[in-house]
PDB file of all heavy atoms in Angstrom:
ATOM      1  N   ILE A   1       0.870  -1.192   0.024  1.00 98.00           N
ATOM      2  CA  ILE A   1      -0.010   0.014  -0.026  1.00 98.00           C
ATOM      3  C   ILE A   1       0.853   1.348   0.047  1.00 98.00           C
ATOM      4  O   ILE A   1       1.860   1.394   0.796  1.00 98.00           O
ATOM      5  CB  ILE A   1      -0.939   0.005   1.251  1.00 98.00           C
ATOM      6  CG1 ILE A   1      -1.980  -1.099   1.071  1.00 98.00           C
ATOM      7  CG2 ILE A   1      -1.628   1.412   1.359  1.00 98.00           C
ATOM      8  CD1 ILE A   1      -2.839  -1.251   2.421  1.00 98.00           C
ATOM      9  N   LEU A   2       0.670   2.169  -0.836  1.00 98.00           N
ATOM     10  CA  LEU A   2       1.304   3.508  -0.962  1.00 98.00           C
ATOM     11  C   LEU A   2       0.258   4.451  -0.555  1.00 98.00           C
ATOM     12  O   LEU A   2      -0.849   4.549  -1.218  1.00 98.00           O
ATOM     13  CB  LEU A   2       1.820   3.729  -2.426  1.00 98.00           C
ATOM     14  CG  LEU A   2       2.391   5.094  -2.690  1.00 98.00           C
ATOM     15  CD1 LEU A   2       3.547   5.508  -1.741  1.00 98.00           C
ATOM     16  CD2 LEU A   2       2.683   5.256  -4.161  1.00 98.00           C
ATOM     17  N   ALA A   3       0.579   5.268   0.424  1.00 97.00           N
ATOM     18  CA  ALA A   3      -0.323   6.346   0.861  1.00 97.00           C
ATOM     19  C   ALA A   3       0.461   7.648   0.964  1.00 97.00           C
ATOM     20  O   ALA A   3       1.514   7.699   1.398  1.00 97.00           O
ATOM     21  CB  ALA A   3      -0.986   5.964   2.212  1.00 97.00           C
ATOM     22  N   GLY A   4      -0.210   8.757   0.638  1.00 94.00           N
ATOM     23  CA  GLY A   4       0.330  10.000   0.668  1.00 94.00           C
ATOM     24  C   GLY A   4      -0.358  10.990  -0.254  1.00 94.00           C
ATOM     25  O   GLY A   4      -1.286  10.644  -0.972  1.00 94.00           O
ATOM     26  N   GLU A   5       0.107  12.228  -0.318  1.00 92.00           N
ATOM     27  CA  GLU A   5      -0.609  13.230  -1.019  1.00 92.00           C
ATOM     28  C   GLU A   5       0.389  13.714  -2.208  1.00 92.00           C
ATOM     29  O   GLU A   5       1.436  13.804  -2.026  1.00 92.00           O
ATOM     30  CB  GLU A   5      -0.721  14.547  -0.113  1.00 92.00           C
ATOM     31  CG  GLU A   5      -1.554  15.603  -0.864  1.00 92.00           C
ATOM     32  CD  GLU A   5      -2.321  16.576   0.112  1.00 92.00           C
ATOM     33  OE1 GLU A   5      -2.104  16.423   1.365  1.00 92.00           O
ATOM     34  OE2 GLU A   5      -2.861  17.558  -0.296  1.00 92.00           O
ATOM     35  N   VAL A   6      -0.305  13.856  -3.345  1.00 95.00           N
ATOM     36  CA  VAL A   6       0.354  14.507  -4.452  1.00 95.00           C
ATOM     37  C   VAL A   6       0.045  16.002  -4.518  1.00 95.00           C
ATOM     38  O   VAL A   6      -1.132  16.406  -4.715  1.00 95.00           O
ATOM     39  CB  VAL A   6      -0.025  13.801  -5.858  1.00 95.00           C
ATOM     40  CG1 VAL A   6       0.599  14.417  -6.924  1.00 95.00           C
ATOM     41  CG2 VAL A   6       0.034  12.254  -5.763  1.00 95.00           C
ATOM     42  N   PHE A   7       1.059  16.815  -4.073  1.00 90.00           N
ATOM     43  CA  PHE A   7       0.761  18.178  -3.990  1.00 90.00           C
ATOM     44  C   PHE A   7       0.671  18.849  -5.478  1.00 90.00           C
ATOM     45  O   PHE A   7       1.231  18.223  -6.420  1.00 90.00           O
ATOM     46  CB  PHE A   7       1.796  18.958  -3.124  1.00 90.00           C
ATOM     47  CG  PHE A   7       1.631  18.715  -1.600  1.00 90.00           C
ATOM     48  CD1 PHE A   7       2.460  17.835  -1.027  1.00 90.00           C
ATOM     49  CD2 PHE A   7       0.679  19.372  -0.985  1.00 90.00           C
ATOM     50  CE1 PHE A   7       2.251  17.457   0.320  1.00 90.00           C
ATOM     51  CE2 PHE A   7       0.561  19.126   0.395  1.00 90.00           C
ATOM     52  CZ  PHE A   7       1.388  18.257   1.148  1.00 90.00           C
ATOM     53  N   HIS A   8       0.008  19.913  -5.523  1.00 89.00           N
ATOM     54  CA  HIS A   8      -0.260  20.524  -6.824  1.00 89.00           C
ATOM     55  C   HIS A   8       0.975  21.276  -7.503  1.00 89.00           C
ATOM     56  O   HIS A   8       0.856  22.290  -8.012  1.00 89.00           O
ATOM     57  CB  HIS A   8      -1.404  21.478  -6.726  1.00 89.00           C
ATOM     58  CG  HIS A   8      -2.669  20.843  -6.374  1.00 89.00           C
ATOM     59  ND1 HIS A   8      -3.847  21.479  -6.128  1.00 89.00           N
ATOM     60  CD2 HIS A   8      -3.028  19.455  -6.323  1.00 89.00           C
ATOM     61  CE1 HIS A   8      -4.813  20.592  -5.956  1.00 89.00           C
ATOM     62  NE2 HIS A   8      -4.232  19.337  -6.088  1.00 89.00           N
ATOM     63  N   TYR A   9       2.194  20.619  -7.436  1.00 90.00           N
ATOM     64  CA  TYR A   9       3.283  21.065  -8.194  1.00 90.00           C
ATOM     65  C   TYR A   9       3.328  20.248  -9.462  1.00 90.00           C
ATOM     66  O   TYR A   9       3.142  19.054  -9.452  1.00 90.00           O
ATOM     67  CB  TYR A   9       4.521  20.856  -7.304  1.00 90.00           C
ATOM     68  CG  TYR A   9       4.683  21.780  -6.059  1.00 90.00           C
ATOM     69  CD1 TYR A   9       4.530  21.132  -4.842  1.00 90.00           C
ATOM     70  CD2 TYR A   9       4.866  23.036  -6.156  1.00 90.00           C
ATOM     71  CE1 TYR A   9       4.644  21.916  -3.764  1.00 90.00           C
ATOM     72  CE2 TYR A   9       5.061  23.872  -5.033  1.00 90.00           C
ATOM     73  CZ  TYR A   9       4.893  23.237  -3.799  1.00 90.00           C
ATOM     74  OH  TYR A   9       4.876  23.982  -2.671  1.00 90.00           O
ATOM     75  N   GLU A  10       3.613  20.932 -10.490  1.00 92.00           N
ATOM     76  CA  GLU A  10       3.717  20.228 -11.779  1.00 92.00           C
ATOM     77  C   GLU A  10       4.587  19.033 -11.831  1.00 92.00           C
ATOM     78  O   GLU A  10       4.270  17.911 -12.327  1.00 92.00           O
ATOM     79  CB  GLU A  10       4.117  21.167 -12.877  1.00 92.00           C
ATOM     80  CG  GLU A  10       3.042  22.261 -13.182  1.00 92.00           C
ATOM     81  CD  GLU A  10       3.549  23.143 -14.380  1.00 92.00           C
ATOM     82  OE1 GLU A  10       4.541  22.868 -15.043  1.00 92.00           O
ATOM     83  OE2 GLU A  10       2.787  24.151 -14.651  1.00 92.00           O
ATOM     84  N   ALA A  11       5.740  19.189 -11.145  1.00 95.00           N
ATOM     85  CA  ALA A  11       6.800  18.062 -11.121  1.00 95.00           C
ATOM     86  C   ALA A  11       6.182  16.866 -10.391  1.00 95.00           C
ATOM     87  O   ALA A  11       6.460  15.705 -10.658  1.00 95.00           O
ATOM     88  CB  ALA A  11       8.103  18.496 -10.512  1.00 95.00           C
ATOM     89  N   HIS A  12       5.542  17.106  -9.269  1.00 96.00           N
ATOM     90  CA  HIS A  12       4.915  16.095  -8.445  1.00 96.00           C
ATOM     91  C   HIS A  12       3.864  15.317  -9.171  1.00 96.00           C
ATOM     92  O   HIS A  12       3.781  14.074  -9.178  1.00 96.00           O
ATOM     93  CB  HIS A  12       4.323  16.701  -7.121  1.00 96.00           C
ATOM     94  CG  HIS A  12       5.382  17.263  -6.223  1.00 96.00           C
ATOM     95  ND1 HIS A  12       5.208  17.581  -4.926  1.00 96.00           N
ATOM     96  CD2 HIS A  12       6.773  17.581  -6.479  1.00 96.00           C
ATOM     97  CE1 HIS A  12       6.262  18.093  -4.420  1.00 96.00           C
ATOM     98  NE2 HIS A  12       7.191  18.066  -5.322  1.00 96.00           N
ATOM     99  N   ILE A  13       2.876  16.064  -9.943  1.00 96.00           N
ATOM    100  CA  ILE A  13       1.960  15.433 -10.679  1.00 96.00           C
ATOM    101  C   ILE A  13       2.472  14.637 -11.754  1.00 96.00           C
ATOM    102  O   ILE A  13       2.023  13.444 -12.016  1.00 96.00           O
ATOM    103  CB  ILE A  13       0.963  16.402 -11.292  1.00 96.00           C
ATOM    104  CG1 ILE A  13       0.310  17.330 -10.048  1.00 96.00           C
ATOM    105  CG2 ILE A  13       0.043  15.888 -12.242  1.00 96.00           C
ATOM    106  CD1 ILE A  13      -0.478  18.518 -10.544  1.00 96.00           C
ATOM    107  N   LYS A  14       3.466  15.135 -12.491  1.00 97.00           N
ATOM    108  CA  LYS A  14       4.142  14.384 -13.568  1.00 97.00           C
ATOM    109  C   LYS A  14       4.863  13.090 -13.011  1.00 97.00           C
ATOM    110  O   LYS A  14       4.690  12.024 -13.608  1.00 97.00           O
ATOM    111  CB  LYS A  14       5.096  15.238 -14.290  1.00 97.00           C
ATOM    112  CG  LYS A  14       5.872  14.526 -15.429  1.00 97.00           C
ATOM    113  CD  LYS A  14       6.803  15.502 -16.117  1.00 97.00           C
ATOM    114  CE  LYS A  14       7.670  14.757 -17.092  1.00 97.00           C
ATOM    115  NZ  LYS A  14       8.627  15.621 -17.858  1.00 97.00           N
ATOM    116  N   TYR A  15       5.486  13.248 -11.795  1.00 98.00           N
ATOM    117  CA  TYR A  15       6.074  12.061 -11.299  1.00 98.00           C
ATOM    118  C   TYR A  15       5.137  10.976 -10.960  1.00 98.00           C
ATOM    119  O   TYR A  15       5.373   9.765 -11.215  1.00 98.00           O
ATOM    120  CB  TYR A  15       6.881  12.451  -9.944  1.00 98.00           C
ATOM    121  CG  TYR A  15       7.283  11.341  -9.068  1.00 98.00           C
ATOM    122  CD1 TYR A  15       8.516  10.633  -9.600  1.00 98.00           C
ATOM    123  CD2 TYR A  15       6.793  11.076  -7.839  1.00 98.00           C
ATOM    124  CE1 TYR A  15       8.914   9.481  -8.845  1.00 98.00           C
ATOM    125  CE2 TYR A  15       7.238   9.911  -7.140  1.00 98.00           C
ATOM    126  CZ  TYR A  15       8.317   9.157  -7.574  1.00 98.00           C
ATOM    127  OH  TYR A  15       8.810   8.138  -6.948  1.00 98.00           O
ATOM    128  N   PHE A  16       3.987  11.381 -10.398  1.00 98.00           N
ATOM    129  CA  PHE A  16       2.853  10.255 -10.118  1.00 98.00           C
ATOM    130  C   PHE A  16       2.379   9.581 -11.295  1.00 98.00           C
ATOM    131  O   PHE A  16       2.240   8.420 -11.429  1.00 98.00           O
ATOM    132  CB  PHE A  16       1.727  10.989  -9.330  1.00 98.00           C
ATOM    133  CG  PHE A  16       0.723   9.937  -8.994  1.00 98.00           C
ATOM    134  CD1 PHE A  16       0.862   9.070  -7.764  1.00 98.00           C
ATOM    135  CD2 PHE A  16      -0.544   9.854  -9.782  1.00 98.00           C
ATOM    136  CE1 PHE A  16      -0.193   8.067  -7.547  1.00 98.00           C
ATOM    137  CE2 PHE A  16      -1.440   8.948  -9.431  1.00 98.00           C
ATOM    138  CZ  PHE A  16      -1.332   8.166  -8.325  1.00 98.00           C
ATOM    139  N   ASP A  17       2.073  10.412 -12.302  1.00 98.00           N
ATOM    140  CA  ASP A  17       1.496   9.955 -13.582  1.00 98.00           C
ATOM    141  C   ASP A  17       2.642   9.052 -14.498  1.00 98.00           C
ATOM    142  O   ASP A  17       2.178   7.972 -15.066  1.00 98.00           O
ATOM    143  CB  ASP A  17       1.129  10.961 -14.441  1.00 98.00           C
ATOM    144  CG  ASP A  17      -0.075  11.758 -13.903  1.00 98.00           C
ATOM    145  OD1 ASP A  17      -0.753  11.042 -13.152  1.00 98.00           O
ATOM    146  OD2 ASP A  17      -0.396  12.926 -14.352  1.00 98.00           O
ATOM    147  N   THR A  18       3.802   9.350 -14.279  1.00 98.00           N
ATOM    148  CA  THR A  18       4.823   8.569 -15.056  1.00 98.00           C
ATOM    149  C   THR A  18       5.616   7.438 -14.332  1.00 98.00           C
ATOM    150  O   THR A  18       6.046   6.493 -14.982  1.00 98.00           O
ATOM    151  CB  THR A  18       5.858   9.493 -15.728  1.00 98.00           C
ATOM    152  OG1 THR A  18       6.567  10.247 -14.618  1.00 98.00           O
ATOM    153  CG2 THR A  18       5.232  10.565 -16.639  1.00 98.00           C
ATOM    154  N   GLU A  19       5.801   7.599 -13.006  1.00 98.00           N
ATOM    155  CA  GLU A  19       6.627   6.779 -12.354  1.00 98.00           C
ATOM    156  C   GLU A  19       5.805   5.820 -11.326  1.00 98.00           C
ATOM    157  O   GLU A  19       6.166   4.671 -11.006  1.00 98.00           O
ATOM    158  CB  GLU A  19       7.653   7.368 -11.600  1.00 98.00           C
ATOM    159  CG  GLU A  19       8.697   8.224 -12.457  1.00 98.00           C
ATOM    160  CD  GLU A  19       9.535   7.243 -13.264  1.00 98.00           C
ATOM    161  OE1 GLU A  19       9.580   6.016 -12.867  1.00 98.00           O
ATOM    162  OE2 GLU A  19      10.129   7.742 -14.119  1.00 98.00           O
ATOM    163  N   ILE A  20       4.749   6.385 -10.838  1.00 98.00           N
ATOM    164  CA  ILE A  20       3.905   5.605  -9.793  1.00 98.00           C
ATOM    165  C   ILE A  20       2.801   4.854 -10.496  1.00 98.00           C
ATOM    166  O   ILE A  20       2.664   3.664 -10.329  1.00 98.00           O
ATOM    167  CB  ILE A  20       3.346   6.599  -8.681  1.00 98.00           C
ATOM    168  CG1 ILE A  20       4.623   7.233  -7.898  1.00 98.00           C
ATOM    169  CG2 ILE A  20       2.480   5.768  -7.665  1.00 98.00           C
ATOM    170  CD1 ILE A  20       5.390   6.325  -7.126  1.00 98.00           C
ATOM    171  N   ARG A  21       1.954   5.626 -11.116  1.00 98.00           N
ATOM    172  CA  ARG A  21       0.551   5.084 -11.617  1.00 98.00           C
ATOM    173  C   ARG A  21       0.929   3.768 -12.456  1.00 98.00           C
ATOM    174  O   ARG A  21       0.261   2.763 -12.311  1.00 98.00           O
ATOM    175  CB  ARG A  21      -0.208   6.034 -12.456  1.00 98.00           C
ATOM    176  CG  ARG A  21      -1.564   5.518 -12.802  1.00 98.00           C
ATOM    177  CD  ARG A  21      -2.311   6.577 -13.717  1.00 98.00           C
ATOM    178  NE  ARG A  21      -2.203   7.932 -13.186  1.00 98.00           N
ATOM    179  CZ  ARG A  21      -3.190   8.458 -12.397  1.00 98.00           C
ATOM    180  NH1 ARG A  21      -4.106   7.570 -11.958  1.00 98.00           N
ATOM    181  NH2 ARG A  21      -3.193   9.652 -11.996  1.00 98.00           N
ATOM    182  N   PRO A  22       1.989   3.884 -13.450  1.00 98.00           N
ATOM    183  CA  PRO A  22       2.160   2.576 -14.313  1.00 98.00           C
ATOM    184  C   PRO A  22       2.618   1.344 -13.485  1.00 98.00           C
ATOM    185  O   PRO A  22       2.486   0.250 -13.897  1.00 98.00           O
ATOM    186  CB  PRO A  22       3.298   3.115 -15.209  1.00 98.00           C
ATOM    187  CG  PRO A  22       3.233   4.505 -15.187  1.00 98.00           C
ATOM    188  CD  PRO A  22       2.835   4.925 -13.898  1.00 98.00           C
ATOM    189  N   ARG A  23       3.138   1.508 -12.271  1.00 98.00           N
ATOM    190  CA  ARG A  23       3.582   0.364 -11.397  1.00 98.00           C
ATOM    191  C   ARG A  23       2.472  -0.032 -10.456  1.00 98.00           C
ATOM    192  O   ARG A  23       2.563  -1.280  -9.986  1.00 98.00           O
ATOM    193  CB  ARG A  23       4.761   0.880 -10.597  1.00 98.00           C
ATOM    194  CG  ARG A  23       6.053   1.120 -11.368  1.00 98.00           C
ATOM    195  CD  ARG A  23       7.166   1.458 -10.534  1.00 98.00           C
ATOM    196  NE  ARG A  23       8.457   1.415 -11.200  1.00 98.00           N
ATOM    197  CZ  ARG A  23       9.025   2.367 -11.788  1.00 98.00           C
ATOM    198  NH1 ARG A  23       8.435   3.509 -12.030  1.00 98.00           N
ATOM    199  NH2 ARG A  23      10.253   2.149 -12.477  1.00 98.00           N
ATOM    200  N   LEU A  24       1.360   0.525 -10.366  1.00 98.00           N
ATOM    201  CA  LEU A  24       0.347  -0.032  -9.611  1.00 98.00           C
ATOM    202  C   LEU A  24      -0.399  -1.115 -10.207  1.00 98.00           C
ATOM    203  O   LEU A  24      -0.503  -1.230 -11.438  1.00 98.00           O
ATOM    204  CB  LEU A  24      -0.683   1.067  -9.241  1.00 98.00           C
ATOM    205  CG  LEU A  24      -0.074   2.439  -8.534  1.00 98.00           C
ATOM    206  CD1 LEU A  24      -1.143   3.466  -8.430  1.00 98.00           C
ATOM    207  CD2 LEU A  24       0.430   2.043  -7.203  1.00 98.00           C
ATOM    208  N   ASP A  25      -0.915  -2.127  -9.455  1.00 97.00           N
ATOM    209  CA  ASP A  25      -1.730  -3.153  -9.861  1.00 97.00           C
ATOM    210  C   ASP A  25      -2.723  -3.649  -8.836  1.00 97.00           C
ATOM    211  O   ASP A  25      -2.907  -2.963  -7.849  1.00 97.00           O
ATOM    212  CB  ASP A  25      -0.679  -4.319 -10.497  1.00 97.00           C
ATOM    213  CG  ASP A  25       0.128  -4.921  -9.420  1.00 97.00           C
ATOM    214  OD1 ASP A  25      -0.221  -4.719  -8.214  1.00 97.00           O
ATOM    215  OD2 ASP A  25       1.209  -5.286  -9.717  1.00 97.00           O
ATOM    216  N   ALA A  26      -3.188  -4.834  -8.988  1.00 97.00           N
ATOM    217  CA  ALA A  26      -4.193  -5.314  -8.084  1.00 97.00           C
ATOM    218  C   ALA A  26      -3.637  -5.541  -6.690  1.00 97.00           C
ATOM    219  O   ALA A  26      -4.384  -5.582  -5.724  1.00 97.00           O
ATOM    220  CB  ALA A  26      -4.811  -6.511  -8.608  1.00 97.00           C
ATOM    221  N   HIS A  27      -2.337  -5.795  -6.643  1.00 98.00           N
ATOM    222  CA  HIS A  27      -1.736  -5.946  -5.329  1.00 98.00           C
ATOM    223  C   HIS A  27      -0.822  -4.875  -4.808  1.00 98.00           C
ATOM    224  O   HIS A  27      -0.282  -4.917  -3.577  1.00 98.00           O
ATOM    225  CB  HIS A  27      -0.837  -7.253  -5.356  1.00 98.00           C
ATOM    226  CG  HIS A  27      -1.638  -8.466  -5.865  1.00 98.00           C
ATOM    227  ND1 HIS A  27      -2.522  -9.080  -5.045  1.00 98.00           N
ATOM    228  CD2 HIS A  27      -1.570  -9.150  -6.901  1.00 98.00           C
ATOM    229  CE1 HIS A  27      -3.062 -10.113  -5.641  1.00 98.00           C
ATOM    230  NE2 HIS A  27      -2.519 -10.125  -6.820  1.00 98.00           N
ATOM    231  N   ARG A  28      -0.537  -3.929  -5.614  1.00 98.00           N
ATOM    232  CA  ARG A  28       0.111  -2.626  -5.185  1.00 98.00           C
ATOM    233  C   ARG A  28      -0.772  -1.571  -5.392  1.00 98.00           C
ATOM    234  O   ARG A  28      -0.951  -1.066  -6.601  1.00 98.00           O
ATOM    235  CB  ARG A  28       1.408  -2.416  -6.061  1.00 98.00           C
ATOM    236  CG  ARG A  28       2.719  -3.154  -5.338  1.00 98.00           C
ATOM    237  CD  ARG A  28       2.724  -4.540  -5.183  1.00 98.00           C
ATOM    238  NE  ARG A  28       2.490  -5.452  -6.353  1.00 98.00           N
ATOM    239  CZ  ARG A  28       2.477  -6.741  -6.558  1.00 98.00           C
ATOM    240  NH1 ARG A  28       2.822  -7.450  -5.459  1.00 98.00           N
ATOM    241  NH2 ARG A  28       2.290  -7.290  -7.612  1.00 98.00           N
ATOM    242  N   LYS A  29      -1.278  -0.905  -4.320  1.00 98.00           N
ATOM    243  CA  LYS A  29      -2.363  -0.004  -4.439  1.00 98.00           C
ATOM    244  C   LYS A  29      -1.952   1.396  -3.791  1.00 98.00           C
ATOM    245  O   LYS A  29      -1.238   1.507  -2.937  1.00 98.00           O
ATOM    246  CB  LYS A  29      -3.680  -0.537  -3.690  1.00 98.00           C
ATOM    247  CG  LYS A  29      -4.217  -1.837  -4.338  1.00 98.00           C
ATOM    248  CD  LYS A  29      -5.396  -2.362  -3.609  1.00 98.00           C
ATOM    249  CE  LYS A  29      -5.786  -3.669  -4.245  1.00 98.00           C
ATOM    250  NZ  LYS A  29      -6.953  -4.116  -3.416  1.00 98.00           N
ATOM    251  N   PHE A  30      -2.599   2.367  -4.377  1.00 98.00           N
ATOM    252  CA  PHE A  30      -2.433   3.767  -3.912  1.00 98.00           C
ATOM    253  C   PHE A  30      -3.691   4.189  -3.272  1.00 98.00           C
ATOM    254  O   PHE A  30      -4.679   4.185  -3.726  1.00 98.00           O
ATOM    255  CB  PHE A  30      -2.185   4.803  -4.991  1.00 98.00           C
ATOM    256  CG  PHE A  30      -1.979   6.059  -4.668  1.00 98.00           C
ATOM    257  CD1 PHE A  30      -0.947   6.506  -3.815  1.00 98.00           C
ATOM    258  CD2 PHE A  30      -2.741   7.133  -5.233  1.00 98.00           C
ATOM    259  CE1 PHE A  30      -0.880   7.834  -3.448  1.00 98.00           C
ATOM    260  CE2 PHE A  30      -2.708   8.531  -4.816  1.00 98.00           C
ATOM    261  CZ  PHE A  30      -1.656   8.747  -3.970  1.00 98.00           C
ATOM    262  N   TYR A  31      -3.466   4.630  -1.966  1.00 97.00           N
ATOM    263  CA  TYR A  31      -4.665   5.044  -1.126  1.00 97.00           C
ATOM    264  C   TYR A  31      -4.820   6.572  -1.155  1.00 97.00           C
ATOM    265  O   TYR A  31      -5.852   7.068  -0.577  1.00 97.00           O
ATOM    266  CB  TYR A  31      -4.442   4.590   0.247  1.00 97.00           C
ATOM    267  CG  TYR A  31      -4.870   3.148   0.528  1.00 97.00           C
ATOM    268  CD1 TYR A  31      -5.008   2.253  -0.495  1.00 97.00           C
ATOM    269  CD2 TYR A  31      -5.206   2.734   1.869  1.00 97.00           C
ATOM    270  CE1 TYR A  31      -5.410   0.942  -0.298  1.00 97.00           C
ATOM    271  CE2 TYR A  31      -5.575   1.356   1.973  1.00 97.00           C
ATOM    272  CZ  TYR A  31      -5.769   0.547   1.049  1.00 97.00           C
ATOM    273  OH  TYR A  31      -6.058  -0.779   1.205  1.00 97.00           O
ATOM    274  N   GLY A  32      -3.913   7.264  -1.542  1.00 95.00           N
ATOM    275  CA  GLY A  32      -4.003   8.919  -1.440  1.00 95.00           C
ATOM    276  C   GLY A  32      -3.648   9.217  -0.012  1.00 95.00           C
ATOM    277  O   GLY A  32      -3.149   8.500   0.724  1.00 95.00           O
ATOM    278  N   PRO A  33      -3.978  10.489   0.379  1.00 93.00           N
ATOM    279  CA  PRO A  33      -3.578  11.003   1.656  1.00 93.00           C
ATOM    280  C   PRO A  33      -4.378  10.318   2.729  1.00 93.00           C
ATOM    281  O   PRO A  33      -5.617   9.960   2.386  1.00 93.00           O
ATOM    282  CB  PRO A  33      -3.923  12.638   1.604  1.00 93.00           C
ATOM    283  CG  PRO A  33      -4.927  12.679   0.419  1.00 93.00           C
ATOM    284  CD  PRO A  33      -4.525  11.554  -0.533  1.00 93.00           C
ATOM    285  N   VAL A  34      -3.915  10.112   3.923  1.00 92.00           N
ATOM    286  CA  VAL A  34      -4.566   9.434   4.962  1.00 92.00           C
ATOM    287  C   VAL A  34      -4.506  10.340   6.265  1.00 92.00           C
ATOM    288  O   VAL A  34      -3.554  10.895   6.495  1.00 92.00           O
ATOM    289  CB  VAL A  34      -4.108   8.081   5.256  1.00 92.00           C
ATOM    290  CG1 VAL A  34      -4.457   7.098   4.082  1.00 92.00           C
ATOM    291  CG2 VAL A  34      -2.554   8.108   5.565  1.00 92.00           C
ATOM    292  N   ARG A  35      -5.613  10.375   6.973  1.00 87.00           N
ATOM    293  CA  ARG A  35      -5.691  11.108   8.168  1.00 87.00           C
ATOM    294  C   ARG A  35      -4.965  10.309   9.346  1.00 87.00           C
ATOM    295  O   ARG A  35      -4.718   8.953   9.124  1.00 87.00           O
ATOM    296  CB  ARG A  35      -6.997  11.521   8.644  1.00 87.00           C
ATOM    297  CG  ARG A  35      -7.718  12.442   7.653  1.00 87.00           C
ATOM    298  CD  ARG A  35      -9.172  12.626   7.834  1.00 87.00           C
ATOM    299  NE  ARG A  35      -9.242  13.375   9.149  1.00 87.00           N
ATOM    300  CZ  ARG A  35      -9.262  14.772   9.241  1.00 87.00           C
ATOM    301  NH1 ARG A  35      -9.092  15.376   8.141  1.00 87.00           N
ATOM    302  NH2 ARG A  35      -9.382  15.361  10.352  1.00 87.00           N
ATOM    303  N   LEU A  36      -4.771  10.878  10.497  1.00 85.00           N
ATOM    304  CA  LEU A  36      -3.981  10.243  11.581  1.00 85.00           C
ATOM    305  C   LEU A  36      -4.625   8.857  11.923  1.00 85.00           C
ATOM    306  O   LEU A  36      -3.788   7.825  12.042  1.00 85.00           O
ATOM    307  CB  LEU A  36      -3.977  11.070  12.858  1.00 85.00           C
ATOM    308  CG  LEU A  36      -3.238  10.505  14.050  1.00 85.00           C
ATOM    309  CD1 LEU A  36      -1.714  10.231  13.635  1.00 85.00           C
ATOM    310  CD2 LEU A  36      -3.255  11.448  15.185  1.00 85.00           C
ATOM    311  N   GLU A  37      -5.879   8.612  12.093  1.00 90.00           N
ATOM    312  CA  GLU A  37      -6.396   7.405  12.601  1.00 90.00           C
ATOM    313  C   GLU A  37      -6.077   6.249  11.582  1.00 90.00           C
ATOM    314  O   GLU A  37      -5.790   5.169  11.929  1.00 90.00           O
ATOM    315  CB  GLU A  37      -7.885   7.629  12.828  1.00 90.00           C
ATOM    316  CG  GLU A  37      -8.584   6.225  13.381  1.00 90.00           C
ATOM    317  CD  GLU A  37      -9.998   6.485  13.605  1.00 90.00           C
ATOM    318  OE1 GLU A  37     -10.544   7.646  13.584  1.00 90.00           O
ATOM    319  OE2 GLU A  37     -10.672   5.378  13.918  1.00 90.00           O
ATOM    320  N   ARG A  38      -6.264   6.608  10.233  1.00 93.00           N
ATOM    321  CA  ARG A  38      -6.107   5.545   9.199  1.00 93.00           C
ATOM    322  C   ARG A  38      -4.604   5.300   9.111  1.00 93.00           C
ATOM    323  O   ARG A  38      -4.213   4.166   8.921  1.00 93.00           O
ATOM    324  CB  ARG A  38      -6.662   5.961   7.890  1.00 93.00           C
ATOM    325  CG  ARG A  38      -6.697   4.853   6.942  1.00 93.00           C
ATOM    326  CD  ARG A  38      -7.429   5.255   5.630  1.00 93.00           C
ATOM    327  NE  ARG A  38      -7.757   4.104   4.771  1.00 93.00           N
ATOM    328  CZ  ARG A  38      -7.973   4.213   3.587  1.00 93.00           C
ATOM    329  NH1 ARG A  38      -8.201   5.317   3.032  1.00 93.00           N
ATOM    330  NH2 ARG A  38      -8.366   3.175   2.755  1.00 93.00           N
TER     331      ARG A  38
END
């Protein structure tokens, strides 16, 4: 599980789209930002 926030910087958005998203699959998932309890 990968969790965290993609801040609205162009370089960060591009990094997620080109390096993270293509590597995700049914067993490697992205949860986005999580609050303290989660």
Side-chain angles (χ1 to χ4, degrees):
I1 292 171
L2 171 63
E5 187 162 356
V6 183
F7 286 101
H8 291 172
Y9 295 105
E10 290 182 6
H12 295 192
I13 296 169
K14 180 180 179 181
Y15 171 71
F16 180 80
D17 288 339
T18 60
E19 297 292 344
I20 300 294
R21 194 189 302 276
R23 289 180 165 88
L24 301 175
D25 56 31
H27 301 290
R28 268 63 57 175
K29 299 178 180 181
F30 177 61
Y31 276 20
V34 292
R35 298 173 67 87
L36 177 62
E37 183 177 349
R38 193 178 193 191

